[in-house]
């Protein structure tokens, strides 16, 4: 959702904040703002702009270029609107009516209407429609009453609040001082040399250029940050908490496009390398040529993992699609029953969870509010929580009992690509490792599958080699208003993912369907205008999907098929064909999803759309 940055130190704050906001822009991009102050100044300067961070940057540079003041403390925000339309007045930071405080906020204050009425009764007036402005006025109310103690005022206010928040507050009377707090929304504090400066971010990406020493704020904790002093951490009840400093390891080059026109294309092409990273140190080939899968999660929690008779996978979006593949992998290889749930539904039902169940949470960001809430619910009921997460140190990673990082590096493009293949790779290794441990898979098949999994990056390169062909193909589909994606077995979740990619970035309505279900409804939509992507790689249902394609063809649908290299039968039916190398059926999604990603990318680019920041979407959904 929204992105937050903060800086206090001895340098100019504005360039650091603006750079940080650019890095966090993938989290929200309908408006942005910064608030700045410095020693000897009697006010906080606030700059806001609708749209992208670049608009804000122009404004700030124009204003500060003339002023010559040294503004060394500041906070910034890039917004994804929840309450109130995207506009300058609704953009953050929000100032309190007194002008004493400025605040940035990520999350939702659910009882803001009630608080607003109470504050109006105390004479507070509001300029915006946001819940955030209510929060800054509430903090201001306590601040004025308690003799201007900011950390105390923040704790007093947050005790009145129902909802989720990550906030940073600055005060006009005390430059060099920031107070931050979080509940159910991530916040990271970076510590500079000898506490000479501090950096704040919604994730570590804006900080790592300056420091690797970070503090991940825990839920309901408040950080009192003052230049030159140790950060003080306290709980909402004002009792003090430990300062837990961690080392963050982050590859900064992942934050640039590396010569590609978009992050999404870069991330699509990174996949062979990324899944090698997912496998590194985990699939080991011994000198005798035999493979072994070593997962620390399986060593530490082996008894519980191999005893489980029921696995529940919770996730959202693309991660949920990876979960559907996980279900097939675990059921086929381990013979353990698996349910895959939308985290947003699971958390509000009364799901049956046994203490011997394993709940797998899949999340790229590790911050998706619904997924986090789902595992908290499952944890209360005693299940083992297993996180499959990309973002190291994120909330879901920390909330999980154990898990496996996918290690694909920061994913910036809003449409998830490399995280999906990383998640599927990890789910494959996990299924193989459990199957091997419980003996549900023969040794020969285990060895064959490991060997083939290790070859997948090389085979991915071959699929990516067809990028130009797919680009040419995409030209003829920009007219489409609807698309249908069909697949069976392991390729059914790939069809769903293909449809989601197209919807997300090209704004073309698309549906994914299990191919045989087409007869029960979607076939009524098929006419000569309708492109239908059929994923028809070789597997035991191959001839059945060919029949489904014939049904489409006889209704004049335009078929674009994904087939196994050398396939001649489908070529005779389909208008266009993209080949993927032959592999084992359970590994096909790692290859067949690549043309889905490339097709969606090129259609969107041809339509002139911003693929890295599609409208209305956010990379990390930290509100429900
Ligand atoms: C958002 C993103 C999707 C992502 C989903 C789940 O909707 O735009 O790309 O799949 O959230 O996110 P997660 O970080 O939990 O995988």
């Amino acid at each position: 959702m929204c992105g937050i940055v903060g800086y206090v130190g001895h340098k100019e704050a504005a360039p650091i904040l603006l750079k940080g906001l650019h890095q966090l822009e993938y989290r929200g991009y309908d408006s942005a703002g910064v608030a700045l102050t410095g020693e000897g100044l009697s006010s906080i300067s606030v700059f806001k702009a609708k749209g992208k961070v670049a608009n804000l940057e122009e404004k700030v540079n124009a204003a500060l270029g003339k002023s010559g003041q040294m503004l060394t403390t500041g906070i910034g925000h890039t917004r994804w609107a929840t309450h109130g339309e995207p506009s300058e007045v609704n953009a953050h930071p929000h100032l309190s009516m007194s002008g004493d405080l400025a605040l940035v906020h990520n999350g939702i204050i659910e009882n803001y209407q009630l608080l607003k009425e109470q504050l109006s009764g105390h004479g507070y007036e509001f300029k915006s429609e946001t819940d955030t402005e209510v929060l800054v006025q509430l903090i201001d109310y306590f601040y004025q009453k308690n003799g201007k103690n900011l950390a105390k005022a923040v704790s007093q206010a947050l005790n009145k609040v129902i909802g989720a928040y990550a906030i940073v507050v600055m005060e006009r009377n005390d430059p060099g001082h920031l107070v931050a707090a979080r509940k159910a929304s991530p916040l990271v504090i970076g510590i500079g040399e000898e506490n000479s400066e501090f950096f704040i971010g919604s994730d570590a990406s804006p900080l790592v250029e300056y420091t690797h020493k970070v503090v991940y704020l825990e839920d309901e904790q408040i950080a009192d940050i003052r230049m030159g002093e140790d950060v003080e951490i306290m709980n909402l009840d004002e009792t003090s908490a430990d300062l837990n400093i961690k080392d963050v390891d982050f590859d900064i080059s992942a934050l640039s496009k590396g010569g590609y026109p978009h992050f999404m294309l870069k991330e699509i092409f990174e996949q062979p390398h990324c899944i090698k990273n997912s496998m590194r140190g985990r699939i080991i080939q011994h000198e005798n040529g035999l493979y072994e899968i070593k997962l620390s999660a399986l060593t530490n929690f082996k008894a519980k993992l191999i005893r489980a008779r029921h696995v529940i996978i919770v996730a959202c979006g693309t991660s949920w699609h990876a979960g559907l593949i996980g279900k097939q992998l675990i059921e086929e290889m381990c013979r353990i029953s698996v349910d895959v749930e939308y985290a947003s539904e699971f958390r509000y039902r009364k799901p049956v969870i046994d203490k011997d169940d394993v709940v797998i949470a899949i999340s790229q960001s590790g911050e998706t509010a619904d997924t986090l809430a789902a595992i908290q619910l499952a944890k209360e009921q005693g299940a083992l929580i297993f996180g499959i997460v990309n973002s190291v140190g994120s909330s879901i990673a920390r909330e999980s009992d154990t898990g496996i990082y996918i290690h694909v590096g920061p994913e910036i493009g809003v449409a998830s690509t490399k995280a999906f293949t990383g998640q599927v790779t990890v789910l494959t290794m996990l299924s193989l490792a459990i199957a091997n441990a419980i003996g549900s898979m023969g040794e020969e098949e285990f060895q064959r599958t490991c060997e083939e999994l290790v070859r997948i990056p090389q085979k991915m390169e071959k699929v990516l080699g067809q990028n130009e062909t797919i680009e040419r193909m995409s030209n003829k589909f920009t007219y489409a208003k609807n698309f249908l994606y069909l697949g069976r077995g392991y390729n059914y979740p790939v069809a769903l993912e293909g449809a989601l990619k197209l919807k997300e970035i090209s704004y073309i309505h698309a549906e994914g369907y299990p191919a045989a279900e087409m007869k029960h409804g979607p076939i009524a939509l098929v006419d000569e205008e309708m492109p239908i992507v059929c994923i028809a790689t070789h597997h035991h249902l191959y001839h059945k999907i060919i029949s489904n394609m014939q049904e489409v063809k006889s209704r004049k649908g335009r078929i674009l098929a994904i087939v196994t290299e050398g396939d001649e039968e489908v070529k005779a039916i389909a208008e266009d064909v993209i080949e993927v190398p032959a592999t084992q059926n359970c590994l096909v999604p790692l290859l067949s999803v690549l043309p889905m990603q490339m097709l969606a990318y090129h259609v969107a680019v041809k339509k002139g759309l911003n693929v890295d920041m599609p409208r209305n979407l956010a990379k990390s959904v930290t509100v429900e």
Side-chain angles (χ1 to χ4, degrees), residues 455-502:
R455 279 199 207 118
I456 290 289
Q458 213 182 319
K459 295 191 175 185
M460 277 179 156
E461 298 283 8
K462 278 189 107 176
V463 186
L464 295 171
Q466 295 170 78
N467 185 44
E468 283 179 18
T469 315
I470 297 174
E471 182 178 0
R472 274 196 302 278
M473 250 175 225
S474 66
N475 273 321
K476 50 181 178 183
F477 293 116
T478 48
Y479 75 89
K481 297 265 176 295
N482 296 289
F483 254 77
L484 205 54
Y485 284 74
L486 303 178
R488 299 194 73 152
Y490 282 103
N491 280 328
Y492 162 50
V494 176
L496 293 178
E497 177 59 8
L500 178 65
K501 288 289 86 85
L502 193 75

Side-chain angles (χ1 to χ4, degrees), residues 123-157:
Y124 279 90
E125 285 168 16
F126 298 84
K127 289 189 185 142
S128 76
E129 301 155 51
T130 63
D131 51 343
T132 304
E133 193 186 4
V134 176
L135 185 55
V136 71
Q137 307 283 33
L138 185 66
I139 297 171
D140 184 88
Y141 170 76
F142 289 109
Y143 180 77
Q144 306 300 342
K145 271 182 70 171
N146 75 13
K148 302 203 169 176
N149 178 333
L150 182 58
K152 189 176 176 68
V154 166
S155 107
Q156 287 171 305

Side-chain angles (χ1 to χ4, degrees), residues 151-171:
K152 189 176 176 68
V154 166
S155 107
Q156 287 171 305
L158 293 180
N159 274 301
K160 302 275 178 217
V161 155
I162 300 172
Y165 50 79
I167 59 167
V168 190
V169 200
M170 61 190 278
E171 55 187 326

